[in-house]
Structure formats: C-alpha cells, structure tokens
Amino acid sequence: MSGSGGTRGTGGLRRLKTVIRAGLRSNFGLTLLKHRLFKEKKDRWLVPVIGLGILGALPALWGIILIIKGAYEMLAPMGQERALLSLGILAGQLLILVFGIYYVISAFYFSRDLEMLIPLPLRPGEVMTSKFAVIVINEYLTVAAVVLPVVITLGVLAKGGVGYWVNAVLVYLALPVIPLALVSLAVVAMMRFINVSRKKDALILVGSIVLIVLAMGLQIALGKSAGAGGAQASAQDVAAFFTSPDSLLNRVGAFFPPSIWATKAVAGGLSGEGLANLALLLGVSLVFFAAMVVLAEKLFYRGLVGLGETTGKKRLLTSDEMSRRVSSGRRVIAAVFGREWKIMNRTPIFLLNGVLVVVVFPAIFVLMAIMDPAREGGSMVLMRIMTSANPLYVILAAALFMTVCGSLNGTSSSTFSREGTQFWISRVIPVPPREQVAAKFLHSYLVAMLGVVTASAVSAVFLHLKALHLAAAAGLSLVAGVLLTAVGMIIDLARPLLDWTNPQKAIKQNLNVLLAMLADIGILTAFFFGVKMLIKVKMAGKTVLGVVFAALAGLAVLSYGLLLRFSDKRYPEIET
Amino acid sequence: MIKLSNVSKSYNRGKIKAVDDLTLNVDPGEIFGFLGPNGAGKTTTIKMIVGLLRSDAGRIFVEGFDVATDGLKAKQVTTYVPDYPAVYERLTGLEYLNFIGDVYGVPRKERLERIGKWLDIFELAPVVTNPIQSYSHGMKQKIVLTAALLPAPRVMVLDEPLVGLDPRAAHQIKEMFREHCDEGKTLFFSTHIMEVAEKLCDRIGIIHKGRLVACGTMEELKALDRTEKSLEGIFLELTDK
C-alpha cells in the first residue's frame, strides 16, 4: 500500500487530499467549467443568466423572510424563538436524511469513476471519504434554501453577536455530517449483507422509498407529538408549556437531538452553553464520521465489487415471438416518446427525481391533513375557510398548488441532459429536431399532468373544492404546465449536460434543473403580482381568471413555438 | 458517394487545427480506409461527415446531399458506428433495433429479415431481450453494428468498427463490408489495423496533423515511395514528422 514508516501518516493524508480534490473537481466539473469559461469562453453567458435567475427568485425569498419574521415576533415574547432555529435546522437535517439516500447510494456504489478508483492503491475509507466530501458539499447547496434564511433572519432580528455568526458557520459546516454518516452506515451495511448485484435498480427504488416513508413517518410522529397538547391538554398544561423557555425547542428537536445541540450552539454563541453544545455537535459528528470510515474499511469494497456486473437470462426467441416483438413501424414521434418513457422509468434516479417528485408534494399535503391533530380547528379547516372566502382565491390557490406539484420537477429541464453520451444517436437519426423535441415535450408534459391530476384529487378530497372550481384550477394549471415545461426544455437545450458518468448529475445535480426552477418561481411570482394588481383595481373575479388564462395560454403558445424554433437552431450546434 | 472539398475544422477558437483543408472523394462501391495516428483528425472528419460536428470551412456531400444544408436527406441514407458503443443501456437490444427501424422507416418484412440475419451472425439472438446494460463491450459493439446495418444504408461511416470484436465477428464484419460495397454502396471507416486496411480497402487515405498526406490504392501508395514497403512502413514514414 502506501510508503513505509514515518512518511506513512503524511503520505496518507496527502493522498487523501488528492483523492478528495480529484473527486470534487470531477463532480462539480470545476476544471471543465474553468476551461469553458476562460479558455473556450463558451459559457460566459451563463453568469448573467444565473444572476437573473437569482434575482427572479428574490421576491419569493423575501416572502419566506417575512414569514420567519412574523413567527419570530409571535414566539419571542414567550421565549420560544429558538424553536424556529431548531425547526429550520431540523428541516435541513431531515432533508439531508431523505435526499441523502439518493446521493449516498449513487455516489458510493453506482458512479462510474469507481471502476477507476478501486484498482488504485487507495484504502476503501479514502475512496469513501472522497465520495462523502462530494455529497457533503452537495448537501450544503441543497439545505441552504431551508436553513440559511432562518439562521440569518434570526441572527439579524435577535442581534446575534460575533459568537452567533461564528458558531452559525461552524454548525452549518457540520450540519450534514451526522445525518449523512447515519445514511452511509445504513447503506454500507445493507449493501454488504444483501446480494444486490442483479437487482441494483430495484434496490435503489425500494431503499429510497422506504427511507422517504421513514422520514415522513418521523414527521408525522413529530406533528402528532407537537399537537398532542392541543385538544386534550388543559389550559394549565398549555400555559406551562409556553412559559417554560425552550420547551418548544426541546419538543421540536426531540426527534433528532443534534438539531437541539446545533440550535443551542448557534443561539448560545460564545456563552458556556453555546460552546458546550458546539463541542458536542462537532464531537459527535466526528465520532459518526470515524465510525463510517471504520465500517467502510471493513465492508465498503465487499459490497461494491461485482456490483457493476449485470446479467440477463439467455433465451432464444421463437420466430413467432420475434415476429410479435419486432415493431411494424411506429410513427417517429411515438418511437422517440417510447424511448424517453422507457429510459426515464427504468433509471431509478430519473424516476425518483422526475416522476416520484410530482406525487411527493400531494402526498406531503395528505400527510399534513391526516396528522392534523385537531381535525375541527386545525390547519386544514383554517385553509378551507381561507380558501372558501372568495372563489377567485380558491381557484388561484388550487391552480398554484397543482402547478407546483406538476411542474416543479426536473423532467423537462433535464430532458436533453438525460441522454448523456448517447445524444449522438439523436443527432444522426434522420428525424427533424422539432419532431424529436415534440416527443420529448409530450413526455415531460405527461409527467406534469400526473402531478396536476394527483394534486386535483387531493384538493377535491381534503379541501372540498367544488367541481367547477376544481375544473377551472386544473384548466389553469394545465395551460401553465405547457409554459413551464417549454421553459424548462429551452433552458436545458441551451446548455445540455451530456458528459455525466453518474445519472444523478443529469437530473439532481444539473444546474439547468435549478435554473428552470428559478425561472418557474419567477414566472409564478410575476403572475402573483399581476393578479394582485388586477384585484387591487377591483376587476371582477371571473374577468381576472379570464385574463390569467389568456395570458398563460398566450405565453404557452409562444414558448412552445420558441422551443421548436430553438431546437432547429440548437440541435446542429450541440457537438458530441 | 462521399465528397469532401476543402474542409477545415479547428477547436479552441482556432488554436487547434484538427482538420486542415481536406479534399477527398469516396466513390460508390468503394471501401475507403482512413488511417492516421491518434489525434490526426480521423474522428473529427468522420463526425463532420455524419453531421455530429460542423465544419468551419468547405463542404461535405453524401450521396449528393450537402450535409450542412440538406442534413436530413444525408442522414436518411447514412448510418454511423462511433468509436465507443454508447447506446441506450436501459433498452433491450431488440427495443433499440426497433427504435432505429422506426426512425429510419424500415418496412416490417425487411426489418424482421435483417434483424434475424445479423443477430444470428453476431450470436446476439439469445440476449436480444436483455437490457443492453448487461452486454459486454463487444456485444454492445455488435448491437450498434446491427442497428447500422438495419436500414441497409447507401453509405456507412464507421469509426474503428473492429475494436472489441472477437475474431469471428471481425471476420464477418469484413465480409459484410465487401458485400455492402459489391451492391454499389459506399463504406468509409477508420482503423489502426494496417493488415485490415491493406487487405480490405479499395483505397486508403492517410491523415496526419489534419492534412491528407496520402490517398490512393495500395499500389498507388507503394508507388509513392518506390521501396515496395508494407502499408505499415508507408504509414510510419508519412506520419513520422
């Protein structure tokens, strides 16, 4: 293995640094990005586009900050403001727990660079640490949207000192370690003891779903526990709960103690409590990380070697079977659509991030409704009352819900990227780009429709929407779906990410997916302000709906036309 | 028929000249072997012929269709086999062949006949309903070749088609090349295997640093040198600069 005697330690550390650096560079495409930005000068236009995307999302971020501020002003007089911090941190850590499973399984076991790394004179723990570093950095980006607004807003409102900010940075850096190490430990142990070489796809799918269900179960339990004091508790219990400082924090964080330590570390700053909790969080993170490395040394390669091999049964088709299976000639659009459909559904990472996501949002809504402890006074009832006040609000709110469920997924914005190195096939087949793109649009739009239909069913059952309102909302969201699908596809077509080695990069770590989401949020925010203005000038409800529908339909037609034109121009330019 | 006239292509904003003023004709019924050291411009030329790359200058015609302005018609008569068999791993071999048959509009009768024939020859029939993901490198190469043969194209362009094939499959492919061109069709392929080029090709082109340094029949190439060297000797001499 490594050098001998005294140089072993420093040599090992240097080697570990090299592996981590190589992992980060290849994963985040830094070398490639540098080459494209400064040498080829190809992607410079991306800089203003990303800036614009962030600007577009600013109003939504401002809304979130206002909500946090409102909650803070309500909780601070009761001494419960730290619960907010804990809630943000806990949400971030649960998010890591849920989505970490995709990252961990695909980075540890299914990324293609493993074939190159395993034969190198590296210890299993070093390979795993390099992969772990990549996932941790990914998680910083994933949880930023959940954790940072809370931590920063609270820091500003509570006038946090130097200790607050220093600890906040340290806590943020340590935040993903414990949940990710937990997931890694579970996954490494599972992969070692289950022979998965033939069923790796099914494993990712089942494993991920089980973990999502577990994480959601945790949230239901959390909700029930938080609400347990609601209907049945006496007035004294409630008073005692709210007058005891941090009681809410302790209850919220009870399910995942590191979130309590993290909260106390940040809020406590340089006080004894702050430093003690910081030490506890960092110490436990280190212990979990070390445990993961130790386990990796023993089990990682044993679960890994042979995993890349897939086998199939050999069976000769009879001439009848062959005749049945050989297609008699489908239309080109049907052929391309069929290819999209099969590849998406048979690649677990694509299926989970593209299709499953559209049903996860409605499922979360259903869980919220089910776990509502005080059925006749809870948030669902409140929501029903709020939305039944004015049919216009009912329809628009439901349409927004359906649109978010249907369109805010990575299907359309990764449709070209998902082809990866196989994009050459699309380039050489004698099919006009616009026909290929029409088939891809149909596929992405179908996924969006699945979300709209699921969200419609949920709205009908839990919000008791009238059929007419439901139909109007579904109509609006179906038209909005055309616009958002086309926008997502245009963004991906402008700069498809084709050189990935791990399917995760094509959809989950694809900048195009993020850009498209920012664009979608920007479009929806613009519509929100537009409607607000129309209501302000006292336009009749039906007219407002008519204007929104017409605007959406106009933009939908325009964006679809633009997409087809863009495909004619762009396809020949994409060099593979 | 393939015709390249004064074709150039550079990368990195003109800093790296991959193909430099290349003029070349491949006639119907001809097997044309394209040789050159690594990085000489073979793959770039091939990718320009099949429309994967755009040339910076010059024009390329396939069966009389300009690939820049009449690309779709050129694609309809051409199939391409890349140097690495990157195919849809999640589809089965048969699904991939069906997809290719659909997009090229291959009629059912011919489709059944050709699929059956090439699956048999390449011994892929027992695995054709398995995902391509489960195939070995050689099997993937064979499914790509089968797909390229399925439309019975007028022009076949192949980049290192023999890499990864077992001797039996390589032999069958070479026979197929001959049959294909005996029907008056055109075949353009790159290779590093000198014996194959020497025995199989009607004409050979040698590219070095983006420029065509020699082109002709084996006899014409030998005559250039007057020392009766083997193709390997001629190749080494021409590219040793």
Side-chain angles (χ1 to χ4, degrees), chain A residues 390-392 395 468 539-549:
Chain A
N390 183 339
L392 175 67
I395 294 167
L468 190 67
M539 191 181 268
K542 280 181 186 165
T543 321
V544 173
L545 282 180
V547 170
V548 172
F549 188 85

Side-chain angles (χ1 to χ4, degrees), chain A residues 35 39-42 112 200-201 310-317 319 322-332 335-336 338-339 342-343 346-348 419 421-433 503 569 572-576, chain B residues 9 11-13 15 47 50-54 72 75-76 78 80-82 84-92 94-96 98-104 106-108 111-112 115-116 119-120 125-131 133-135 139 144:
Chain A
H35 182 76
K39 279 207 155 175
E40 291 186 353
K41 298 174 182 170
K42 258 185 178 174
R112 285 182 205 160
K200 60 176 186 174
D201 293 350
T310 44
T311 50
K313 284 181 190 162
K314 286 190 174 183
R315 194 175 78 86
L316 205 58
L317 294 181
S319 56
M322 183 61 109
S323 175
R324 267 202 311 277
R325 290 195 185 205
V326 166
S327 126
S328 41
R330 287 171 298 175
R331 290 169 67 98
V332 167
V336 177
R339 176 197 68 182
K342 284 173 188 153
I343 292 176
R346 291 175 190 175
T347 312
E419 288 196 51
T421 50
Q422 290 130 24
F423 193 72
W424 69 270
I425 302 172
S426 297
R427 290 289 320 282
V428 299
I429 56 175
V431 179
K569 179 186 176 297
E573 289 172 353
I574 301 171
E575 299 188 340
T576 55
Chain B
K9 172 78 183 174
Y11 295 113
N12 219 350
R13 303 197 160 213
K15 284 181 193 148
K47 284 186 170 180
V50 298
L52 282 174
L53 291 177
R54 292 197 295 187
L72 215 55
K75 285 174 184 174
Q76 190 66 55
T78 315
Y80 162 63
V81 175
Y84 183 81
V87 267
Y88 305 126
E89 305 245 329
R90 303 280 169 173
L91 298 190
T92 67
L94 194 55
E95 284 170 345
Y96 179 57
N98 267 329
F99 172 73
I100 294 295
D102 289 338
V103 295
Y104 277 91
V106 182
R108 180 179 161 75
R111 196 183 292 208
L112 256 172
I115 288 179
L119 290 183
D120 257 1
V127 295
V128 75
T129 50
N130 291 345
Q133 196 180 17
S134 66
Y135 291 9
M139 286 155 86
V144 178

Side-chain angles (χ1 to χ4, degrees), chain A residues 69-100:
Chain A
K69 188 170 172 269
Y72 175 85
E73 281 160 2
M74 205 174 76
L75 290 171
M78 296 184 278
Q80 304 288 343
E81 71 279 11
R82 285 182 178 194
L84 257 182
L85 206 54
S86 175
L87 204 65
I89 289 169
L90 182 67
Q93 287 183 318
L94 287 178
L95 204 70
I96 294 169
L97 216 55
V98 174
F99 289 104

Side-chain angles (χ1 to χ4, degrees), chain A residues 43-378:
Chain A
D43 284 346
R44 294 201 155 179
W45 58 271
L46 256 179
V47 179
V49 167
I50 293 176
L52 218 71
I54 292 170
L55 271 181
L58 277 182
L61 186 67
W62 182 241
I64 293 170
I65 290 172
L66 287 182
I67 291 171
I68 296 169
K69 188 170 172 269
Y72 175 85
E73 281 160 2
M74 205 174 76
L75 290 171
M78 296 184 278
Q80 304 288 343
E81 71 279 11
R82 285 182 178 194
L84 257 182
L85 206 54
S86 175
L87 204 65
I89 289 169
L90 182 67
Q93 287 183 318
L94 287 178
L95 204 70
I96 294 169
L97 216 55
V98 174
F99 289 104
I101 183 79
Y102 304 137
Y103 284 139
V104 167
I105 291 184
S106 85
F108 283 9
Y109 291 93
F110 300 114
S111 61
R112 285 182 205 160
D113 62 350
L114 286 166
E115 288 175 12
M116 193 195 73
L117 288 171
I118 294 172
L120 294 178
L122 297 168
R123 300 180 69 88
E126 289 172 333
V127 174
M128 201 159 170
T129 304
S130 133
K131 297 274 166 204
F132 192 79
V134 171
I135 307 171
V136 164
I137 291 184
N138 267 317
E139 293 296 1
Y140 289 145
L141 304 174
T142 310
V143 298
V146 179
V147 178
L148 291 185
V150 178
V151 173
I152 295 173
T153 311
L154 252 74
V156 172
L157 290 175
K159 298 193 174 58
V162 180
Y164 180 96
W165 295 110
V166 171
N167 286 6
V169 171
L170 292 173
V171 163
Y172 191 73
L173 291 177
L175 206 60
V177 176
I178 295 175
L180 268 183
L182 271 173
V183 170
S184 304
L185 285 167
V187 167
V188 170
M190 182 172 76
M191 295 297 256
R192 168 63 187 93
F193 294 111
I194 301 171
N195 181 9
V196 290
S197 59
R198 285 194 185 173
K199 297 193 162 55
K200 60 176 186 174
D201 293 350
L203 173 96
I204 298 183
L205 208 62
V206 172
S208 311
I209 291 170
V210 164
L211 259 139
I212 290 172
V213 169
L214 277 179
M216 281 185 174
L218 193 75
Q219 299 193 39
I220 294 176
L222 183 74
K224 277 202 169 149
S225 156
Q232 291 84 19
S234 68
Q236 285 99 322
D237 290 340
V238 177
F241 180 80
F242 281 107
T243 46
S244 151
D246 289 343
S247 52
L248 190 55
L249 156 69
N250 291 328
R251 179 161 282 179
V252 170
F255 285 85
F256 201 69
S259 65
I260 298 184
W261 309 333
T263 307
K264 288 185 173 170
V266 176
L270 295 175
S271 70
E273 186 200 26
L275 292 176
N277 278 287
L278 181 68
L280 189 63
L281 180 75
L282 297 180
V284 173
S285 298
L286 207 66
V287 168
F288 270 87
F289 176 71
M292 189 201 73
V293 174
V294 169
L295 196 75
E297 289 291 341
K298 291 192 187 309
L299 301 181
F300 183 37
Y301 277 7
R302 284 200 239 169
L304 184 62
V305 174
L307 197 63
E309 293 163 12
T310 44
T311 50
K313 284 181 190 162
K314 286 190 174 183
R315 194 175 78 86
L316 205 58
L317 294 181
T318 63
S319 56
D320 266 2
E321 283 174 321
M322 183 61 109
S323 175
R324 267 202 311 277
R325 290 195 185 205
V326 166
S327 126
S328 41
R330 287 171 298 175
R331 290 169 67 98
V332 167
I333 285 198
V336 177
F337 176 85
R339 176 197 68 182
E340 293 292 306
W341 182 260
K342 284 173 188 153
I343 292 176
M344 180 98 182
N345 294 349
R346 291 175 190 175
T347 312
I349 300 286
F350 295 165
L351 186 69
L352 284 167
N353 289 291
V355 183
L356 200 73
V357 162
V358 301
V359 288
V360 160
F361 280 120
I364 290 174
F365 195 82
V366 169
L367 283 175
M368 272 169 59
I370 293 170
M371 75 187 211
D372 197 345
R375 286 293 171 95
E376 297 310 316

Side-chain angles (χ1 to χ4, degrees), chain B residues 36-42 160 192 235:
Chain B
N38 294 330
K42 298 187 298 295
E160 302 278 358
H192 282 299
F235 176 86

Side-chain angles (χ1 to χ4, degrees), chain A residues 36 43 45-46 49 339-340 344 350 409-421 423 426 436-437 440-441 443-444 483-500 503-520 559 562-563 566-567 569-571 573-576:
Chain A
R36 293 175 76 106
D43 284 346
W45 58 271
L46 256 179
V49 167
R339 176 197 68 182
E340 293 292 306
M344 180 98 182
F350 295 165
N409 63 77
T411 310
S412 62
S413 49
S414 67
T415 184
F416 302 98
S417 297
R418 288 198 306 269
E419 288 196 51
T421 50
F423 193 72
S426 297
Q436 297 191 42
V437 164
K440 279 173 172 287
F441 176 87
H443 172 248
S444 300
L483 170 65
L484 300 188
T485 300
V487 167
M489 287 179 70
I490 288 171
I491 288 173
D492 194 38
L493 185 56
R495 186 183 168 272
L497 181 76
L498 301 173
D499 55 357
W500 47 266
Q504 184 95 12
K505 285 180 94 172
I507 187 161
K508 189 114 182 80
Q509 290 161 255
N510 189 344
L511 187 64
N512 297 345
V513 175
L514 179 72
L515 281 176
M517 266 182 200
L518 290 175
D520 291 353
S559 59
L562 196 70
L563 171 67
F566 190 45
S567 67
K569 179 186 176 297
R570 194 69 189 110
Y571 257 63
E573 289 172 353
I574 301 171
E575 299 188 340
T576 55

